[in-house]
Amino acid sequence: MNKLFISCILMALILACGNNSRKESTDPMAELDGKAIYKNYCVNCHGLQGDMGAGGAANLQISALSLEERVIVITKGRNAMQPYESVLKPAQIEAVANFTLTLKENE
Ligand code: HEC
């Protein structure tokens, strides 16, 4: 019984600490949340999974582009894809480019 009580307290402490550190880190990082940026600016054409292809949008699940190449396409645009250099900060473009790398086809 005593052991259970102590481990409960330990769990509560661990959870409390975890919550605190999460609270501190989300706010300043929010604008660098690649997934959130993607949902705001990219799903209309690329879709939530990256493979919607509206208006001829490239399928991001099978894209072979590197991170650097994606950053260039997003920054400067390409054909029907508009440039985002006046919309997003460079760090945001890198964050969203990184997110598109996670949209790989389900294995
Ligand atoms: C208006 C529709 C539209 C929106 C919005 C859009 N894209 Fe695109 N995207 C395209 C099209 C169309 C292409 C293919 C361009 C081409 O044919 O050269 C493309 C290509 C790309 C590519 C290159 C992929 C490859 O393999 O060549 C990347 C990376 C990409 N988009 C990322 C994004 C990201 C990230 C966003 C949000 C910031 C975004 N796109 C928003 C239409 C869009």
Side-chain angles (χ1 to χ4, degrees), residues 41-42 45-46 55-58 60 63 65 70 73-74 78-81 84 96 100:
Y41 297 99
C42 322
C45 299
H46 291 284
L60 298 178
S63 172
L65 295 191
R70 288 170 195 232
V73 172
I74 299 164
R78 214 182 62 202
N79 300 317
M81 164 123 175
Y84 281 86
V96 75
T100 64

